[in-house]
Amino acid sequence: MRRLENIYRLGVKELFSLRRDTVLLALIVWAFSFAVYTAATGMSHELKNGAIAIVDEDRSQLSARFREAFLPPYFKEPKLISFREIDPGMDSGRYTFVLVIPHGFQADVLAGRRPALQVNIDATAMMQAGIGDGYITNILAQEINTFLGTPTTAYPVELKARYAFNPNITSAWFTSVTEIINNVTMLAIVLTGAALIREREHGTIEHLLVMPLTPIEIMVAKVWANGLVILFASGLSLWLVVETLLQVPIAGSKALFLAGTGLYLFFATALGIFLATIARSMPQFGLLFMMVFLPMNLLSGGETPIESQPALLQAIMQAVPSTHFVSFAQAILYRGAGIDIVWPQFALVTVIGSLFFAFAAARFRRSIAVMRS
């Protein structure tokens, strides 16, 4: 009971210290409010307002149909330009797509000669380039088939696609929740690491060392206090920003997601303390944070699917709890999975996180012993 009381009181001290740190408070508010909103509304995975120009050397009825087929919100109104304006327009970034319709195109189509159309694409806008290529191909094929009066499809069967979990393929549904998942890891590492370095820089760690406290009590207090703040902030962000402001439906149980997040925070907060025992100042901690967080975030499955990575990386990332955290978080929040589906990920996060927590605690104990000596 004495140890539990020490852990509780030290944790309360951490909360009061965090309350006085306006920079970290601002970071928490930003990460779970404005950052989530801007990620959902500012980073679109759909084609929107694509800048397109048309070089119409045919001036036929069919080429006019092409010009009228590119409609908002997918494309801006097409600009008619000459052939010599293609390179200057694309070099300056005014046009992402330039469609070239050669002279005699309609006559060749009617004669069955299968003439060629050229589409110039600015591939530096990678997302728009890839999606826009498919959009333009489908639009042109549909307009040609309509003009000729031929069926729009020659398939012997009718194919109907059904998009599960995101019927309108709205990118905000994905990016808003992913941003919360990423920010849980980021803030768990930053808050606990900054808390330990702040103790060292302000000299308060020496005060703790002369008290009847064990290193594990100091570490656990920092973990529960900062973890509680992150749990509260992420739950509030899901409710206020994602569900209320962005109108994104959450398919599964938020309580189950927060329970899994609590398990994951044992690893993430321990990682922050581990990095803080290596770093001697906040700038060093910041460099270590970028070296660890960025690869872990990119390879955990939130940004790119695990299956698309090399086999060696897939095997390595299976030993990192963030991979399983992203997996069960997406399963719960996107697909409405229950504990009967995500319990293997919960178990892996608990086991691997506990092992790393013990390792970080041993490292923290050694660093405390060095300071005492």
Side-chain angles (χ1 to χ4, degrees), residues 63-78:
S63 64
R65 292 179 67 98
F66 289 162
R67 295 198 304 269
E68 296 169 357
F70 295 100
L71 301 173
Y74 304 112
F75 295 94
K76 295 180 180 178
E77 182 179 351

Side-chain angles (χ1 to χ4, degrees), residues 193-217:
L196 180 57
I197 293 178
R198 182 175 56 230
E199 297 268 20
R200 189 187 302 139
E201 290 180 343
H202 293 175
T204 52
I205 190 70
E206 284 81 3
H207 298 167
L208 295 176
L209 295 179
V210 298
M211 296 180 181
L213 299 171
T214 62
I216 194 65
E217 291 173 355

